[in-house]
Amino acid sequence: MASVPSLASSLDRRIADALSAALPEVGTADPLLRRSDRADFQANGMLALAKKLKGNPRELAAKVVEQLPAGDLIKDVEVSGPGFLNITITDEAIVKTLAERAADDRLGVPFAEHPGTTVIDYAQPNVAKEMHVGHLRNSVIGDAVVRILEFSGEKVVRRHHIGDWGTQFGMLIQYLIEHPHELDHEGEVSGEEAMSSLNRLYKASRTLFDSDEEFKARARRRVVDLQAGDEETLALWQRFVDESKIYFYSVFDKLDVEIRDEDIVGESGYNDMLAETCRLLEESGVAVRSNGALCVFFDDVKGPDGKPSPLIVQKSDGGFGYAATDLSAIRDRVGNLKADTLLYVVDARQSLHFKMVFETARRAGWLPEGVKAVQLGFGTVLGKDGKPFKTREGETVRLVDLLDEAVDRATAVVREKSEKLGLTEEQIIERGAQVGIGAVKYADLSTSVSRDYKFDLDQMVSLNGDTSVYLQYAYARIQSILRKAGEARPVAHPELALAAAERALGMHLDQFGENLAEVTASYEPHKLAGYLYQLASQLTTFYAECPVLKADTPQQVENRLFLCDLTARTLRQGMSLLGIRTPEQL
């Protein structure tokens, strides 16, 4: 089905036509339409036109009103102040437009006009290391942005740039060679067991590395073997990667984020390109040697001493830094994957690094005109005290512990309510996971990406306020109403007059597509979360003021069931785009 134009876009076009008819000499003009608390919409375009034509804006506004046909869309137009148009939409137009949305699986939301290819870099855990609270935001934000972009019709290529290369692997591999059974398992192993083995091995190898000079020398030689592609060394390195993936996938599964094996291309994936990247930069003059290191300098980037602070692509000892890997990844993503957009969901504290990497890639011609690179730099997760989230012992919080606590807390809330619903123990556990993980995700996604936020589980699992539980409860409440409706069905009745709360709910439902277009263009999931919270709030007001099953007439019952059903579908679709489940009962 074709996309459904919003009431705002239909009205905008109608006023633009009236402007052209009233003033043919100005051609097409923007009515400058916006929502208003005086009416449904306000058009301010007459002020700018009158100034341009040196005319009276109120007289111009009156001429435009004469050209506006009344009836199907516009109920009332009032010329206000110095030439504003206050416009009220007909109830019929609201319900008819919503009925068109309801007839479409996509709720009338159009696909993007010019979809392209976006490569998004997110969910970047490190091999042989535990995932902590710092890995929460890139995973959750990245997953939501992927869902939103794919819904718009964009081709999305996921890239998980895991930390799977570097000097620490020499230490780990050498220790495993000398203690060959440290990673041996019988049968299947859980994520926790895999991480436990890796932790134990890491601590033991680090202790030996720090205390035994001969082992340290052997470990350093092993790094050289790894970088040279020695078969035995690579095979053991792969064991660490595979063991870590068991653990990664268990955490991502708990977080309800899908990570596919083919999308994991870590630092090692660009290893063969690093030398060529450096050669091309040096030959083109983009990078120069400084004290033996290969550097790119920038006039506007200076260190604390006021001297230019370069991007170091290759160290003086011949080793490659993160910049070499990131630049090689850009070459691959633009040259081979044909990306129009590169998105990086990475901690805001790395913004200077990425600014320099992107500028270097531009100078080298690897980010040509028409290809944009964007860092979605996210803020920090804070504790209730407003400081970076730590355990009582001052340790970084393990991500799996944080998720388990959220699920436990939510399960307790669900269990408390379960007697009324008659839920089985299995259903309580399932709902608890959906509510707990949804609470964590929503707290993250309802905050602007760049801002820090406080991690407060008590608030997150609350039924009151701006929480995912409030939205999930709104959805479940509608499902309960629909189950109790008996033979009555949701049917749109455009001929009926709408109460104020019905109009407000209907007008907000109509804005779903416009909201998604804005969220997609700006990569700001918090604006979708804000829209959904307002929708649930409008539903609460509607529910309080407009009896559904006890409405005055059968037609009014059907129309209110229709509004409920479309609200539920919009909530479900919007929550799904944020990666949050909507239980049928709560």
Side-chain angles (χ1 to χ4, degrees):
M1 177 176 169
S3 64
V4 179
S6 68
L7 291 165
S9 62
S10 297
L11 181 60
D12 190 85
R13 192 167 59 251
R14 193 74 63 89
I15 299 170
D17 290 346
L19 269 168
S20 296
L23 291 167
E25 67 272 22
V26 301
T28 56
D30 187 349
L32 298 178
L33 191 70
R34 61 180 180 82
R35 290 301 304 270
S36 170
D37 54 5
R38 302 278 180 89
D40 291 329
F41 295 96
Q42 188 175 82
N44 301 336
M46 279 53 67
L47 292 178
L49 273 180
K51 191 174 182 181
K52 184 179 175 183
L53 298 171
K54 296 184 171 55
N56 184 312
R58 282 187 68 89
E59 290 176 8
L60 171 58
K63 285 183 183 178
V64 173
V65 171
E66 287 173 14
Q67 298 293 333
L68 281 173
D72 61 331
L73 178 62
I74 299 170
K75 179 182 179 182
D76 184 53
V77 185
E78 175 199 20
V79 178
S80 170
F84 301 137
L85 296 184
N86 289 332
I87 304 158
T88 303
I89 300 293
T90 65
D91 291 352
E92 179 186 12
I94 293 172
V95 178
K96 277 187 172 178
T97 299
L98 295 184
E100 289 181 53
R101 294 198 179 287
D104 179 31
D105 288 341
R106 290 176 54 85
L107 304 176
V109 177
F111 286 103
E113 284 185 29
H114 305 291
T117 299
T118 294
V119 176
I120 179 168
D121 188 328
Y122 68 108
Q124 304 116 349
N126 294 308
V127 166
K129 288 186 181 176
E130 282 199 277
M131 292 176 69
H132 53 77
V133 66
H135 292 109
L136 175 66
R137 298 208 71 186
N138 56 4
S139 306
V140 169
I141 294 165
D143 182 58
V145 170
V146 166
R147 291 166 180 265
I148 291 163
L149 288 175
E150 287 186 334
F151 188 71
S152 78
E154 183 82 352
K155 179 186 175 184
V156 179
V157 181
R158 303 159 174 83
R159 277 294 174 266
H160 306 301
H161 194 89
I162 65 171
D164 65 351
W165 205 247
T167 53
Q168 78 271 22
F169 286 100
M171 178 182 80
L172 290 166
I173 293 166
Q174 188 61 36
Y175 187 86
L176 190 58
I177 286 172
E178 296 174 16
H179 303 80
H181 302 297
E182 283 293 318
L183 286 182
D184 290 351
H185 304 293
E186 288 184 18
E188 276 197 30
V189 62
S190 70
E192 278 289 291
E193 288 167 335
M195 194 65 244
S196 177
S197 296
L198 289 166
N199 262 341
R200 188 177 64 251
L201 198 148
Y202 185 87
K203 285 175 182 174
S205 63
R206 169 55 69 181
T207 300
L208 194 57
F209 186 86
D210 290 341
S211 63
D212 185 332
E213 288 300 320
E214 290 184 5
F215 175 77
K216 184 182 287 189
R218 294 196 297 275
R220 285 177 170 160
R221 284 198 297 273
R222 189 59 59 181
V223 175
V224 177
D225 293 339
L226 177 64
Q227 292 175 340
D230 174 70
E231 282 188 25
E232 180 198 16
T233 306
L234 279 176
L236 291 169
W237 167 81
Q238 189 64 51
R239 284 189 67 186
F240 282 103
V241 174
D242 293 342
E243 194 84 2
S244 297
K245 282 183 180 179
I246 295 170
Y247 164 69
F248 295 159
Y249 291 155
S250 73
V251 179
F252 286 124
D253 187 54
K254 197 180 289 269
L255 191 53
D256 203 10
V257 168
E258 183 193 28
I259 302 290
R260 300 180 307 207
D261 219 50
E262 63 266 29
D263 300 329
I264 294 179
V265 183
E267 294 168 5
S268 63
Y270 307 100
N271 199 46
D272 293 344
M273 299 176 67
L274 302 183
E276 185 183 35
T277 294
C278 292
R279 179 179 61 78
L280 292 171
L281 288 173
E282 192 167 11
E283 285 178 357
S284 63
V286 171
V288 295
R289 292 284 168 185
S290 176
N291 296 323
L294 186 64
C295 304
V296 183
F297 288 92
F298 307 86
D299 292 336
D300 59 340
V301 179
K302 293 182 171 59
D305 58 1
K307 293 181 180 178
S309 180
L311 181 71
I312 300 173
V313 185
Q314 188 176 26
K315 301 169 192 172
S316 56
D317 64 2
F320 300 105
Y322 289 122
T325 309
D326 287 332
L327 288 164
S328 298
I330 288 175
R331 289 176 56 208
D332 176 60
R333 293 167 184 182
V334 176
N336 296 327
L337 299 178
K338 308 301 181 191
D340 306 299
T341 303
L342 302 178
L343 274 185
Y344 293 80
V345 187
V346 182
D347 192 316
R349 288 171 291 191
Q350 294 189 41
S351 59
L352 178 58
H353 168 79
F354 278 100
K355 177 186 175 185
M356 292 195 290
V357 165
F358 295 159
E359 175 58 25
T360 300
R362 290 255 178 241
R363 293 180 188 178
W366 302 330
L367 270 180
E369 284 294 319
V371 177
K372 65 177 180 177
V374 180
Q375 182 200 357
L376 293 185
F378 56 83
T380 304
V381 181
L382 306 174
K384 289 184 186 180
D385 59 3
K387 296 176 181 176
F389 202 20
K390 303 277 187 184
T391 65
R392 286 178 184 171
E393 294 75 33
E395 300 288 324
T396 302
V397 178
R398 296 194 325 153
L399 182 53
V400 71
D401 290 342
L402 183 148
L403 298 178
D404 284 344
E405 188 181 350
V407 170
D408 289 346
R409 195 79 64 90
T411 303
V413 172
V414 173
R415 194 181 301 283
E416 204 177 291
K417 311 279 183 188
S418 64
E419 284 185 22
K420 290 181 186 174
L421 299 173
L423 299 179
T424 65
E425 182 63 20
E426 187 181 349
Q427 288 172 322
I428 291 170
I429 290 169
E430 181 192 29
R431 302 281 198 289
Q434 292 176 347
V435 172
I437 298 303
V440 171
K441 287 184 169 184
Y442 186 83
D444 198 307
L445 294 169
S446 59
T447 306
S448 172
V449 170
S450 60
R451 286 181 54 203
D452 301 341
Y453 76 94
K454 291 182 182 178
F455 195 91
D456 183 348
L457 271 178
D458 292 328
Q459 173 57 30
M460 288 179 188
V461 299
S462 171
L463 273 171
N464 303 310
D466 189 4
T467 68
S468 69
V469 191
Y470 179 64
L471 304 186
Q472 288 170 323
Y473 182 69
Y475 176 82
R477 172 188 267 177
I478 294 172
Q479 299 312 308
S480 174
I481 293 170
L482 294 173
R483 284 193 295 272
K484 291 175 184 173
E487 293 183 8
R489 289 287 173 266
V491 179
H493 285 278
E495 74 279 5
L496 293 179
L498 296 177
E502 290 176 297
R503 289 187 103 259
L505 181 61
M507 293 289 286
H508 195 68
L509 283 167
D510 183 57
Q511 291 171 40
F512 183 51
E514 290 178 346
N515 175 269
L516 273 184
E518 184 182 350
V519 168
T520 304
S522 62
Y523 314 117
E524 293 181 299
H526 74 277
K527 291 184 176 177
L528 173 57
Y531 169 87
L532 295 172
Y533 173 62
Q534 289 172 352
L535 180 60
S537 300
Q538 296 277 16
L539 175 75
T540 300
T541 304
F542 163 80
Y543 187 76
E545 296 180 8
C546 303
V548 178
L549 301 180
K550 294 183 179 178
D552 294 339
T553 67
Q555 290 80 11
Q556 200 172 44
V557 170
E558 289 179 340
N559 201 53
R560 288 180 178 174
L561 282 172
F562 162 73
L563 286 172
C564 284
D565 186 53
L566 184 57
T567 300
R569 288 175 60 195
T570 305
L571 280 170
R572 185 182 180 90
Q573 179 64 75
M575 294 283 270
S576 174
L577 293 175
L578 295 177
I580 299 173
R581 308 271 179 182
T582 40
E584 298 291 306
Q585 291 176 286
L586 197 60

